[in-house]
Amino acid sequence: MNKLGLFLFMTILMMIWGFNVSAIKILVSSFPPITITAIRILVAGFFVFLMLGVIGKVRRPNRKEFQYIIYGGLFNITAHHFFLAHGLMETTGANGGLILGSGPVLTAILSAIIIKTMPSRMQIIGFIFGIIGVSFIVVIGNGGLSGFSFGDIYIFLSILSQAFSFILISKADYSLDICWFLGA
């Protein structure tokens, strides 16, 4: 695939990803959240394995990799999508978008706590501008925030589990610290 084809493919992929939360919000009003989550993950998994098969990257994971796959699947797939679907049933798109937009900051905070990785000054500035940008777009674009709801807690648990999984995935070398934190 040439650079233009790859760029177009990635652009389309990001557009689909960008509509993800809006689509879930609409779908959970007609279908049970667990059903929507299961179908989304099944379809995504099928396409990932299809793409990996095409480029010849499917292989059997070793024992240590399998452990990270289990933890990543538990936190980034199961918990994240379960809480996201349930939360979107009970909160507004503005509240959900603002809470989900806090993911990078939450990941940095958890990273500092769990594996003692402190963000640089530029990363902190980027986080601040990111929060301001997400807040501005969500609040202005949707007519403002609504009151607090139980769905907001679900959305926060969703992004918290995803942030934790990002640490597991990116810092696999810190397996002892992570296993200690999990109580393993």
Side-chain angles (χ1 to χ4, degrees):
M1 181 180 292
N2 63 22
K3 285 186 178 184
L4 179 60
L6 183 61
F7 176 78
L8 290 174
F9 174 75
M10 295 302 290
T11 301
I12 292 168
L13 188 63
M14 291 307 296
M15 288 173 59
I16 291 169
W17 179 79
F19 290 119
N20 185 33
V21 174
S22 300
I24 296 169
K25 177 71 175 163
I26 293 166
L27 290 171
V28 294
S29 65
S30 302
F31 300 99
I34 297 299
T35 304
I36 297 303
T37 300
I39 291 170
R40 288 176 59 239
I41 292 169
L42 177 69
V43 170
F46 172 77
F47 280 105
V48 165
F49 274 103
L50 179 69
M51 289 171 54
L52 288 173
V54 167
I55 63 173
K57 295 288 185 179
V58 176
R59 66 172 177 80
R60 184 182 204 106
N62 65 38
R63 187 176 200 153
K64 188 172 184 173
E65 291 170 332
F66 191 72
Q67 181 181 21
Y68 289 112
I69 291 169
I70 295 296
Y71 285 136
L74 177 65
F75 289 102
N76 196 10
I77 304 299
T78 306
H80 170 68
H81 291 286
F82 173 81
F83 288 125
L84 178 63
H86 277 288
L88 287 173
M89 287 178 57
E90 300 181 32
T91 191
T92 64
N95 287 17
L98 187 57
I99 296 167
L100 289 173
S102 69
V105 174
L106 193 55
T107 303
I109 291 169
L110 286 178
S111 180
I113 292 170
I114 296 171
I115 57 176
K116 311 297 188 246
T117 303
M118 299 304 293
S120 69
R121 189 172 289 161
M122 285 304 290
Q123 288 171 324
I124 292 170
I125 292 169
F127 294 144
I128 291 169
F129 279 120
I131 290 171
I132 291 169
V134 168
S135 301
F136 179 75
I137 291 169
V138 169
V139 172
I140 300 300
N142 290 319
L145 292 173
S146 68
F148 178 78
S149 72
F150 198 67
D152 295 338
I153 295 171
Y154 281 139
I155 299 293
F156 179 76
L157 290 173
S158 168
I159 197 64
L160 179 66
S161 66
Q162 188 176 51
F164 186 71
S165 75
F166 289 160
I167 294 168
L168 285 174
I169 292 165
S170 68
K171 298 297 181 186
D173 293 337
Y174 295 96
S175 60
L176 294 176
D177 293 325
I178 291 169
C179 289
W180 170 83
F181 186 80
L182 293 174

